[in-house]
């Protein structure tokens, strides 16, 4: 089983979802090493006045990452996104992903993200403009629609295919749903039936067995994992093993998990530096602690969350892991 995006044949059909605040360089590289077939950057608004900001500096650093490098761009106008795509190529993109999936208010208030799905003419203009602006594959991440009465993903999928989009990722919720309720896969199944390009199913895929169920039901070309990878990046190797063998893989030894976790935290510290690294490591520490020690992590979290020294944070977390 594989997914083809332009000239790129992915090693795995389990992909990491682009998530703001999560899919940064250290996390992408970790998930790729554990079996993610493709990792896509956090969404980035590539405009000249934003390129010198710290956020853009970190989000547009792909040094040392394996190809294909997928950069997700966000915006609300066709020309703006076409220029952003060209800039993304300069930063090393092998694949451009267009964000029409983010439900966040600050994104949707600017009529970008999933809000774009309300204007199919604009969607067509954006997709055609971006595809014609670059010579690399362009993919699209979207939702099922903007609310329960307007699930127009199948229509937008057809527009996307005609515009030259080479892969679609569909989150099984509407814009109005945000991340509430359960993801549904009927609409994703409809999208698969409407187009001949690869469709990736996304939403509530939390285990290897669930990945197989979603693939069987939707007949999608692959699955995309988002929040379930937070604190559990090993989910990619678990999914790959199950899809290839039909068997649940043996648990990753705790010693190996601890080593991987500490290396990830160290990479966050190195990449972002002392001040920002310490702060951005906190959420990953919380996710890892929750994954490994749900019953006893609360007291530890209250302690480590107050630490303001990077080395102290690392040592405290290392000691905590060694006690498990």
């Amino acid at each position: 089983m594989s997914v083809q995006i332009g000239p790129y044949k992915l090693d795995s059909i389990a992909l990491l979802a682009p998530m703001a605040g999560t899919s940064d360089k250290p996390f992408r590289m970790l998930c790729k090493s554990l079996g993610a077939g493709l990792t896509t950057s956090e969404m980035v608004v590539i405009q000249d006045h934003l390129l010198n900001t710290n956020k853009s500096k970190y989000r547009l650093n792909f040094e040392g990452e394996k190809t294909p490098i997928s950069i997700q761009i966000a915006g609300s106008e066709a020309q703006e996104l076409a220029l952003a795509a060209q800039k993304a190529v300069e930063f090393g993109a092998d694949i451009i992903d267009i964000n029409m999936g983010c439900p966040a208010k600050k994104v949707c208030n600017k009529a970008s993200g999933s809000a774009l799905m309300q204007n199919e003419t604009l969607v067509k203009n954006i997709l055609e403009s971006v595809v014609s602006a670059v010579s690399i594959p362009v993919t699209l991440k979207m939702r099922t629609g903007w609310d329960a009465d307007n699930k127009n993903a199948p229509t937008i999928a057809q527009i996307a295919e005609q515009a030259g989009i080479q892969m679609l990722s569909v989150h099984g919720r509407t814009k109005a749903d945000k991340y509430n309720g359960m993801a549904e896969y009927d609409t994703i199944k409809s999208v698969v039936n409407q187009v001949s390009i690869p469709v990736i199913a996304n939403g509530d895929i939390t285990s290897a067995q669930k990945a197989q169920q979603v693939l069987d039901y939707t007949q999608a070309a692959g699955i995309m994992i988002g929040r379930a990878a937070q604190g559990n990046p090993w989910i990619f190797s678990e999914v790959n093993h199950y899809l290839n063998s039909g068997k649940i893989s043996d648990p990753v030894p705790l010693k190996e998990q601890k080593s991987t976790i500490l290396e990830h935290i160290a990479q966050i510290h190195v990449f972002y530096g002392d001040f920002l690294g310490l702060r951005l490591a906190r959420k990953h520490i919380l996710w890892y602690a929750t994954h490994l020690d749900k019953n006893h992590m609360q007291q530890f979290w209250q302690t480590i969350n107050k630490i303001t020294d990077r080395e102290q944070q690392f040592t405290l977390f290392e000691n905590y892991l060694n006690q498990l």
Side-chain angles (χ1 to χ4, degrees), residues 204-279:
D204 294 353
I205 297 170
T206 54
S207 68
Q209 297 98 311
K210 183 70 178 282
Q212 184 71 70
Q213 289 165 11
V214 171
L215 285 168
D216 290 344
Y217 183 73
T218 62
Q219 293 298 297
I223 53 100
M224 186 170 270
I225 296 169
R227 288 171 293 167
Q230 293 171 337
N232 182 24
W234 302 276
I235 191 170
F236 293 101
S237 51
E238 291 166 4
V239 167
N240 290 334
H241 185 273
Y242 190 81
L243 295 182
N244 290 327
S245 69
K247 297 174 183 173
I248 297 171
S249 58
D250 294 330
V252 178
L254 188 56
K255 186 178 178 183
E256 191 180 318
Q257 289 190 53
K258 290 175 183 178
S259 172
T260 300
I261 290 168
L262 290 173
E263 176 62 23
H264 180 210
I265 300 303
Q267 288 301 319
I268 293 171
H269 288 160
V270 169
F271 184 63
Y272 290 106
D274 289 0
F275 180 81
L276 201 53
L278 172 124
R279 283 152 182 80

Side-chain angles (χ1 to χ4, degrees), residues 11-12 31 47 109 121 160 186 231 305 310:
D11 295 334
S12 160
C31 292
Q47 295 177 349
N109 281 350
T121 303
D186 291 334
N305 195 34
R310 175 181 66 84

